[in-house]
Amino acid sequence: MDILNKVRKYREDEDRLKWEGTFAEYIRLVKERPEIAQTAHSRVYNMIRTAGVEEIEGQKSYNFFNREMYGLETALERLVEEYFHPAARRLDVRKRILLLMGPVSGGKSTIVTMLKRGLEQFSRTDEGAVYAIKGCPMHEDPLHLIPHHLRDEFYEEYGIRIEGSLSPLNTMRLEQEYGGRIEDVLVERIFFSEDRRVGIGTFTPSDPKSQDIADLTGSIDFSTIAEYGSESDPRAYRFDGELNKANRGMMEFQEMLKLDEKFLWHLLSLTQEGNFKAGRFALISADELIVAHTNETEYRSFIANKKNEALHSRIIVIPIPYNLKVSEEERIYQKMIRESDMAHVHIAPHALRAAAIFSVLTRLEVPKKQGIDLLKKMRLYDGENVEGFNDVDVAELKKEFPNEGMHGIDPRYIINRISSAIIRKEVPSINALDVLRSLKEGLDQHPSISQEDREKYINYIAVARREYDEIAKNEVQKAFVYSYEESAKHLMNNYLDNVEAFCNKNKLRDQLTGEEMNPDEKLMRSIEEQIGVSENAKKAFREEILIRLSAYARKGQRFDYNSHERLREAIQKKLFADLKDIVKITTSSKTPDESQLKKINEVVATLVDEYGYNTTSANELLRYVGSLLNR
């Protein structure tokens, strides 16, 4: 089997990556590659940066997150630039717990999981290689072996700061196994693994009455007391708590704010001083990223408790709101469907977009800015062009409500309702109407939606339905246009000829009769009116087109159907308007004649071949659009 060969190759690759040597050999490695001595926070930041960073219109986009996270560029940029980057530079934020705060199903757990899996992979690369004292249950940094009084000189020579003290167990081992000769201490390369509890820990609170602090910090192995004689002998202690095992990597606290106080106090010294107390030993050094996640309600309750004030200042809160871009919301649903057993079901084009429009509307705040409604705001957020508004307006809209996106419908609800639609319909195909109907029915069963929100959400479903109606009509009308691009090109060239004659005050020559004619004002206005160009604005619009045409000609480029977005939209709408009656008659006829039937079959074939429908959803679309046009 091919999979067995791949497993064998992976095992061989991992064997090749293994390294073991003395501390003296490790120091030579550090001299050649100082990055192997980086801190846990620095390792996470370099892992993200190494995957690649793009900047689009002033917004940073991190390739590390792009394959899983959609529409959260602003939140992720803040996470990287306000926490990981300064923490990697040893600034004070590295002494803070990272708390991701946001609504349910907003992506917090996904971010943490990506960091974990990323570290596992990164530790297998040259840039992310991690080395530890061999045999240490805490995978301790070998540089802790260097005595404190020599660390300033080490920094001057190597440019590497050493923080933390040698653990009790390794202090004893250094004396007993190596006779105090740090140069002989064995060092090995380690690979992070959550499953093997190497460099990645996860802690989940349970019943506070039964949960033991040993789950975090390790515990005494009473079976060894008789052998070693004392509970303060480090050999009699199991350094197997989550804080021990997460050393050098990251520690996830699930539902951290629900933890009992005695667990939270351990985080105080760990975050601020980089150490924690375990057993009857001196403070144990640990270098690890501590990340937790919670929702807004729990966080507000936590900070309202005066007992937690000491932890407040040791937490960096990064809000992770819902995505507010319709196109990115579609991608979230596509990803969730791919990961489910629904992947074989045909979901008609725009069905997920209709659901995305609804869910994004529930998350948006009604804008205060004059002349803009919720729909325009939704389009602007998604990068669409809205006449009369620009990027400055988008920035102002975002400033109006800094916490926008912290409330609304979550993606899991949408997927649950899509699942319900599939099961109820019992066919391998669903469309936008099936999805919207299921969303509406599900609102009555949603326990956390108030009556006021329910009425508002039903209105948003109606808005999404109207948006889909326009999409559906355009889709069918476009499919009805025979040789659509050729028709559009012919109409556009005709328009451009007339515009050029109008602006230059020339006449046109009829190709058949050869006689001179005035520019066809009726044709030009019939196209310009499609996009709302008024009588007063027509001259400026035509001059703009002519300037664009001249600019293309100077550069030796061809001005085509897609060269001017507003003109393309006008051409489309003009073609559709001319075809509306044909579409209406053909789609609504109960007993179509032979020519109508032929046209319907051609349109169905176009919808299937060019637009991603199957035969069932294409026929459903035609029937629906026929009913819309006959209203």
Side-chain angles (χ1 to χ4, degrees), residues 532-569:
V533 176
S534 66
E535 183 72 24
N536 292 333
K538 69 180 184 182
K539 187 172 184 290
F541 181 75
R542 293 169 188 176
E543 287 173 348
E544 179 196 328
I545 295 292
L546 193 62
I547 290 169
R548 181 77 65 90
L549 195 64
S550 301
Y552 270 72
R554 283 199 309 273
K555 295 175 184 176
Q557 296 174 346
R558 183 179 177 82
F559 187 95
D560 63 20
Y561 174 63
N562 294 307
S563 298
H564 192 286
E565 191 167 333
R566 291 194 69 210
L567 178 58
R568 181 185 63 191
E569 182 186 352

Side-chain angles (χ1 to χ4, degrees), residues 65 69-80 84 98-112 291-296 317-323 402-407:
F65 294 108
M69 307 302 300
Y70 308 119
L72 294 180
E73 292 83 6
T74 301
L76 292 171
E77 181 178 9
R78 185 176 173 185
L79 170 64
V80 175
F84 287 129
L98 172 61
L99 180 64
L100 305 180
M101 189 262 291
V104 295
S105 190
K108 305 182 298 296
S109 299
T110 302
I111 291 171
V112 176
V291 58
H293 41 92
T294 188
N295 59 52
E296 191 172 8
V317 180
I318 301 292
I320 306 294
Y322 284 131
N323 157 62
N403 293 323
E404 192 170 43
M406 298 300 280
H407 306 282

Side-chain angles (χ1 to χ4, degrees), residues 40-41 79 82-84 86-88 90-100 249-251 253 256 267-275 286-292 309-318:
H41 289 83
L79 170 64
E82 292 187 17
Y83 185 79
F84 287 129
R90 295 178 184 265
L91 292 171
D92 216 45
V93 295
R94 71 194 173 100
K95 298 177 180 178
R96 309 286 182 268
I97 298 167
L98 172 61
L99 180 64
L100 305 180
M250 68 175 283
M251 168 73 180
F253 272 85
M256 185 189 82
L267 301 181
L268 294 177
S269 64
L270 179 58
T271 52
Q272 194 62 37
E273 308 299 336
N275 51 45
D287 172 30
E288 54 198 82
L289 158 67
I290 299 175
V291 58
E309 282 185 350
L311 265 177
H312 293 178
S313 62
R314 291 173 169 83
I315 293 176
I316 292 277
V317 180
I318 301 292

Side-chain angles (χ1 to χ4, degrees), residues 116-148:
K116 287 180 180 179
R117 299 296 165 263
L119 278 175
E120 289 179 343
Q121 294 301 317
F122 194 56
S123 69
R124 287 163 172 76
T125 66
D126 291 340
E127 300 92 339
V130 190
Y131 295 81
I133 296 173
K134 187 175 181 182
C136 173
M138 286 184 58
H139 329 295
E140 187 165 9
D141 186 347
L143 295 182
H144 284 181
L145 290 162
I146 295 177
H148 285 270

Side-chain angles (χ1 to χ4, degrees), residues 33 68 70 94 147 181 212 240 256 324 380 416 433 489 496 504 587:
R33 294 163 50 210
E68 294 282 342
Y70 308 119
R94 71 194 173 100
R181 294 175 56 83
D212 192 345
D240 60 356
M256 185 189 82
L324 298 176
L380 284 168
N416 290 344
L433 298 178
K489 179 182 173 184
L496 291 176
N504 294 328
T587 56

Side-chain angles (χ1 to χ4, degrees), residues 415-568:
I415 292 299
N416 290 344
R417 298 316 302 166
I418 291 173
S419 304
S420 177
I422 290 170
I423 292 167
R424 184 174 60 249
K425 200 172 179 188
E426 293 183 345
V427 293
S429 172
I430 62 169
N431 57 38
L433 298 178
D434 297 320
V435 172
L436 291 174
R437 194 180 302 115
S438 184
L439 289 174
K440 187 175 181 180
E441 292 170 358
L443 292 176
D444 293 329
Q445 305 162 19
H446 203 300
S448 61
I449 296 178
S450 66
Q451 184 60 34
E452 181 184 352
D453 283 342
R454 186 174 289 110
E455 291 172 4
K456 188 167 61 174
Y457 291 172
I458 287 173
N459 180 51
Y460 291 151
I461 289 175
V463 173
R465 169 78 175 265
R466 289 195 293 272
E467 288 292 293
Y468 172 69
D469 287 352
E470 290 304 310
I471 293 170
K473 283 188 282 188
N474 286 344
E475 196 99 311
V476 170
Q477 288 168 336
K478 196 188 297 184
F480 259 87
V481 179
Y482 180 72
S483 300
Y484 175 70
E485 294 294 336
E486 285 73 14
S487 301
K489 179 182 173 184
H490 177 74
L491 183 58
M492 187 195 72
N493 287 336
N494 199 358
Y495 174 79
L496 291 176
D497 288 342
N498 281 276
V499 163
E500 196 168 4
F502 171 86
C503 292
N504 294 328
K505 297 180 180 176
N506 293 332
K507 289 185 179 291
L508 291 166
R509 190 175 295 279
D510 189 292
Q511 293 181 350
L512 293 176
T513 65
E515 65 178 305
E516 289 188 333
M517 305 177 299
N518 289 322
D520 190 341
E521 183 66 20
K522 187 177 179 182
L523 171 72
M524 290 187 286
R525 291 303 293 143
S526 70
I527 291 171
E528 292 156 0
E529 286 170 351
Q530 300 294 331
I531 52 172
V533 176
S534 66
E535 183 72 24
N536 292 333
K538 69 180 184 182
K539 187 172 184 290
F541 181 75
R542 293 169 188 176
E543 287 173 348
E544 179 196 328
I545 295 292
L546 193 62
I547 290 169
R548 181 77 65 90
L549 195 64
S550 301
Y552 270 72
R554 283 199 309 273
K555 295 175 184 176
Q557 296 174 346
R558 183 179 177 82
F559 187 95
D560 63 20
Y561 174 63
N562 294 307
S563 298
H564 192 286
E565 191 167 333
R566 291 194 69 210
L567 178 58
R568 181 185 63 191

Side-chain angles (χ1 to χ4, degrees), residues 272-475:
Q272 194 62 37
E273 308 299 336
N275 51 45
F276 63 92
K277 192 77 172 72
R280 298 178 181 178
F281 307 114
L283 291 170
I284 297 175
S285 298
D287 172 30
E288 54 198 82
L289 158 67
I290 299 175
V291 58
H293 41 92
T294 188
N295 59 52
E296 191 172 8
T297 304
E298 286 180 0
Y299 178 68
R300 300 296 171 206
S301 174
F302 175 76
I303 61 174
N305 187 345
K306 296 295 183 184
K307 291 182 179 179
N308 298 324
E309 282 185 350
L311 265 177
H312 293 178
S313 62
R314 291 173 169 83
I315 293 176
I316 292 277
V317 180
I318 301 292
I320 306 294
Y322 284 131
N323 157 62
L324 298 176
K325 296 179 181 178
V326 171
S327 56
E328 296 296 307
E329 190 73 7
E330 279 189 85
R331 294 180 68 196
I332 292 172
Y333 302 154
Q334 288 164 357
K335 171 196 160 192
M336 295 173 84
I337 288 168
R338 280 197 307 271
E339 294 171 351
S340 73
D341 291 335
M342 296 190 294
H344 66 286
V345 176
H346 174 76
I347 298 177
H350 312 299
L352 297 183
R353 182 170 184 80
I357 289 170
F358 162 69
S359 56
V360 168
L361 286 173
T362 68
R363 301 167 189 170
L364 293 175
E365 302 287 349
V366 178
K368 299 174 185 175
K369 192 176 180 68
Q370 195 170 4
I372 186 162
D373 58 18
L374 214 55
L375 265 177
K376 286 181 181 176
K377 182 178 185 178
M378 179 192 79
R379 292 192 176 104
L380 284 168
Y381 274 18
D382 205 28
E384 293 184 37
N385 288 320
V386 177
E387 190 173 356
F389 298 94
N390 54 34
D391 292 341
V392 175
D393 296 299
V394 176
E396 288 177 3
L397 286 170
K398 290 180 178 178
K399 287 177 183 175
E400 281 186 349
F401 302 99
N403 293 323
E404 192 170 43
M406 298 300 280
H407 306 282
I409 290 292
D410 64 279
R412 287 193 192 120
Y413 171 78
I414 303 294
I415 292 299
N416 290 344
R417 298 316 302 166
I418 291 173
S419 304
S420 177
I422 290 170
I423 292 167
R424 184 174 60 249
K425 200 172 179 188
E426 293 183 345
V427 293
S429 172
I430 62 169
N431 57 38
L433 298 178
D434 297 320
V435 172
L436 291 174
R437 194 180 302 115
S438 184
L439 289 174
K440 187 175 181 180
E441 292 170 358
L443 292 176
D444 293 329
Q445 305 162 19
H446 203 300
S448 61
I449 296 178
S450 66
Q451 184 60 34
E452 181 184 352
D453 283 342
R454 186 174 289 110
E455 291 172 4
K456 188 167 61 174
Y457 291 172
I458 287 173
N459 180 51
Y460 291 151
I461 289 175
V463 173
R465 169 78 175 265
R466 289 195 293 272
E467 288 292 293
Y468 172 69
D469 287 352
E470 290 304 310
I471 293 170
K473 283 188 282 188
N474 286 344
E475 196 99 311

